[in-house]
Amino acid sequence: MLTLPQIQELRRHLIDAREAGKDVWIYSDYFNNKTALLGSAANRFVLMPEAAVNFSGIHAESMYFKGMLDKAGLEAEVVHIGDFKSFGEEFYRTGPSEFAAKQTEELIDGIFSEIVDDVASGRRIDRAKVLEMIDRGTFNVDDAKQAGLIDDRQHRTDFNAMLREKYAEAKFDREYALPDLDGPDVDNIFDVFKLLMSSADDADSKSDYVAVVAMQGGISDASVAPVRKAIVKLLKDEHAKALVLRVDSPGGSALSSEVLWEVTDEWKSTGRPLAVSMGGVAASGGYYISAGAARIFAEPGTITGSIGVVGMKLVVAEAMEKMGITTHSVKRGEHADAMSMTKGFSEEEEALVRKSMEEVYGTFKKRIVDGRGERLKGELEPLAGGRVYTGRRALELGLVDELGGLTDAIAWAADKAGIGEPKSRLLPEPKSPLEGLFSKPEKDKDGELVGMSPARPSVSEALAAMIQETTLAALPESTRHSVGRAVQRLRAIEENRVQLIGPDLELRW
């Protein structure tokens, strides 16, 4: 499912095509926020006469699990650094705090305005007219045409005939397909021979290029390890002239964020350009790993910021009591059991945890100040505290440098590196089925004596199983994703108690 920033990047390329003198035609069976945005960039936007119309705005939902945890005898203890740092509220509240509610309102206002403004400007109609159609809740294709949201209503046969008549001399390329990132199909021995014979021709290892490395999803030891390994290898590749880090992450472990920041800082020390392209979200730890880049690109609808720290543990004492489980502990050290899940924090322990988190927060802010420097618009602290911004607002505050997508970041990096014809390579490269059949276990060639070997938590697995058994099966499919994310966050918390992670906001658009 495409996110708003991805749609915005596609839309921008369509507008570029039109400005270059190309015609852009779009046909759809649906009229919703996504097709309305794409269609607003077209010369001609056509819907089928009975198209499904669902252009009624956006809404955001956050799920809260305190009641469920109470029934299970579980209690979440959360320590925040930053009033707007709302992660964890879903585990100890039944609704948002005042700060979280205010932040969500501002964020949704920004995203909604992006959609309305783009549709209005692209279709050359009044903004008020777009809002009027949205607030109607439901309308049909004829209403959309009358309002200027589309150009026409046609069946496919008529649309195809019109295209062929208009471009009678043109060759229609119907063979184009997106590349298969999973590699080619290998159905028989002839497919194997074909791949073996062509593999040498496909490699172009002697050309200078821009490396694109993606950090996607939650930041943890497991997710950071392959990303870091790819960059370590690139450090030794003389043909890798620039690096674009594609960040689409709500954040995660503070420690893992620092590990990834360190390797990008090592890249910068070589003098080669470093750019960041933000995807749908690059918040908290996602911003931490971005801050050191020479240039940060974000889409207007990107969710970023959330500069703050949160610490959390689940207290399972009551749940264990319900199950008839008792414990006996022995400790050496006054605070050795501070993070035990069988007891809550004492006042002194909470103060110690907060002190540790404040040190992490200080490092977080230092990374940003050192990376952004005078590009920040004013002092950092008023921009931090867990506040979340759209990409457009982040540009105004100096948290990002330019509104643009991955192709813009690659073009900038290539220019800075002096590469005439921008060539890019996605790393780690997707493996084909052939590699899976014949490759030997990869030897460690990066020369590092200390690597990353994450351990999988255990208690969280039991909690995850409990949530899935009691909740997921009874929920509609549209809601399971939110519950699944909550489970992932519980797992992340056990792996590392101090998290740089943004709020859990499920945007329905």
Side-chain angles (χ1 to χ4, degrees), residues 3 21 32-33 71 91 95 100 135 150 172 179 231 234 252 278 286 294 369 371 395 408 467 472 481 497 499-500 507:
T3 63
N32 50 35
N33 291 316
K71 291 180 179 180
F91 300 116
D135 287 340
I150 64 171
F172 289 83
I231 297 175
L234 288 169
M278 292 181 168
V369 171
L395 177 66
D408 299 295
I467 291 176
L472 286 182
H481 179 62
R497 306 290 188 186
Q499 295 277 311
L500 308 177
L507 180 63

Side-chain angles (χ1 to χ4, degrees), residues 278-303:
M278 292 181 168
V281 58
S284 203
Y287 190 78
Y288 189 112
I289 64 176
S290 303
R295 193 116 182 128
I296 300 177
F297 293 79
E299 293 293 346
T302 295
I303 297 175

Side-chain angles (χ1 to χ4, degrees), residues 113-147:
S113 293
E114 291 289 339
I115 296 172
V116 174
D117 292 343
D118 284 349
V119 171
S121 62
R123 296 301 303 173
R124 295 182 173 86
I125 59 179
D126 290 339
R127 190 177 193 273
K129 185 63 178 179
V130 178
L131 290 171
E132 176 193 335
M133 297 303 291
I134 288 174
D135 287 340
R136 284 174 63 170
T138 181
F139 53 89
N140 59 32
V141 174
D142 289 330
D143 296 331
K145 181 179 178 181
Q146 185 176 354

Side-chain angles (χ1 to χ4, degrees), residues 80-85 99 103 287 305-309 354 357-370 372-373 376-389 393 397-399:
H80 294 278
I81 301 295
D83 290 336
F84 290 87
K85 195 69 177 176
F99 294 106
Q103 179 170 261
Y287 190 78
S306 193
I307 302 165
V309 185
R354 183 174 294 277
M357 291 169 56
E358 286 172 347
E359 292 176 357
V360 174
Y361 187 44
T363 300
F364 194 169
K365 291 190 291 184
K366 184 177 187 304
R367 298 288 180 245
I368 296 170
V369 171
D370 290 347
R372 301 299 298 164
L376 287 173
K377 305 296 171 54
E379 296 295 322
L380 176 60
E381 186 57 40
L383 310 180
R387 294 171 178 83
V388 179
Y389 307 102
R393 180 61 178 148
L397 299 173
L399 294 172

Side-chain angles (χ1 to χ4, degrees), residues 102-407:
K102 179 181 178 182
Q103 179 170 261
T104 300
E105 290 285 343
E106 293 177 354
L107 191 62
I108 296 304
D109 278 344
I111 293 172
F112 183 62
S113 293
E114 291 289 339
I115 296 172
V116 174
D117 292 343
D118 284 349
V119 171
S121 62
R123 296 301 303 173
R124 295 182 173 86
I125 59 179
D126 290 339
R127 190 177 193 273
K129 185 63 178 179
V130 178
L131 290 171
E132 176 193 335
M133 297 303 291
I134 288 174
D135 287 340
R136 284 174 63 170
T138 181
F139 53 89
N140 59 32
V141 174
D142 289 330
D143 296 331
K145 181 179 178 181
Q146 185 176 354
L149 293 172
I150 64 171
D151 294 298
D152 206 353
R153 57 193 296 276
Q154 289 181 310
H155 287 289
R156 278 178 170 75
T157 303
D158 297 327
F159 182 77
N160 288 329
M162 186 170 59
L163 274 174
R164 293 188 182 281
E165 180 181 352
K166 173 136 180 103
Y167 304 103
E169 304 300 322
K171 178 182 178 182
F172 289 83
D173 181 4
R174 303 180 64 188
E175 302 301 321
Y176 176 78
L178 292 173
D180 183 1
L181 295 181
D182 294 325
D185 292 330
V186 180
D187 296 326
N188 53 55
I189 192 63
F190 297 105
D191 292 332
V192 174
F193 290 153
K194 183 178 178 181
L195 286 171
L196 287 173
M197 294 172 63
S198 63
S199 59
D201 297 330
D202 295 336
D204 187 14
S205 60
K206 295 182 180 180
S207 298
D208 294 340
Y209 65 95
V210 176
V212 179
V213 178
M215 177 60 246
Q216 188 157 348
I219 296 177
S220 64
D221 286 355
S223 63
V224 164
V227 178
R228 183 181 185 280
K229 186 173 184 179
I231 297 175
V232 168
K233 288 184 177 181
L234 288 169
L235 285 166
K236 301 176 182 180
D237 185 349
E238 62 180 11
H239 294 294
K241 297 299 185 183
L243 172 63
V244 174
L245 183 64
R246 173 70 171 186
V247 180
D248 198 347
S249 171
S253 163
L255 182 60
S256 299
S257 298
E258 174 69 9
V259 167
L260 190 48
W261 174 89
E262 182 271 335
V263 76
T264 58
D265 192 58
E266 185 70 18
W267 173 272
K268 287 169 55 181
S269 70
T270 67
R272 288 176 280 185
L274 170 64
V276 162
S277 168
M278 292 181 168
V281 58
S284 203
Y287 190 78
Y288 189 112
I289 64 176
S290 303
R295 193 116 182 128
I296 300 177
F297 293 79
E299 293 293 346
T302 295
I303 297 175
T304 189
S306 193
I307 302 165
V309 185
V310 63
M312 173 179 160
K313 74 170 180 176
L314 280 175
V315 180
V316 301
E318 186 178 341
M320 293 172 66
E321 182 180 347
K322 288 182 177 181
M323 293 185 286
I325 301 173
T326 58
T327 64
H328 171 74
S329 65
V330 178
K331 69 174 182 177
R332 297 294 184 271
E334 183 65 26
H335 303 293
D337 61 344
M339 299 309 297
S340 170
M341 297 177 71
T342 62
K343 59 182 280 296
F345 289 129
S346 67
E347 289 186 9
E348 185 178 3
E349 287 168 345
E350 183 174 338
L352 291 172
V353 171
R354 183 174 294 277
K355 180 181 178 181
S356 175
M357 291 169 56
E358 286 172 347
E359 292 176 357
V360 174
Y361 187 44
T363 300
F364 194 169
K365 291 190 291 184
K366 184 177 187 304
R367 298 288 180 245
I368 296 170
V369 171
D370 290 347
R372 301 299 298 164
E374 295 181 353
R375 290 176 288 178
L376 287 173
K377 305 296 171 54
E379 296 295 322
L380 176 60
E381 186 57 40
L383 310 180
R387 294 171 178 83
V388 179
Y389 307 102
T390 63
R392 188 177 299 280
R393 180 61 178 148
L395 177 66
E396 296 171 356
L397 299 173
L399 294 172
V400 306
D401 298 294
E402 188 173 333
L403 295 181
L406 180 58
T407 53

Side-chain angles (χ1 to χ4, degrees), residues 436-494:
L437 286 172
F438 296 105
S439 62
K440 296 179 180 179
E442 184 178 358
K443 294 182 179 180
D444 187 6
K445 298 179 181 179
D446 54 27
E448 292 199 309
L449 299 178
V450 180
M452 298 181 69
S453 181
R456 193 177 182 96
S458 55
V459 176
S460 62
E461 293 298 325
L463 294 174
M466 184 265 301
I467 291 176
Q468 290 172 336
E469 181 179 350
T470 60
T471 308
L472 286 182
L475 290 175
E477 186 176 353
S478 60
T479 310
R480 291 177 191 171
H481 179 62
S482 296
V483 178
R485 290 194 306 183
V487 171
Q488 292 173 356
R489 292 186 170 205
L490 286 173
R491 288 171 172 161
I493 285 294
E494 188 180 359

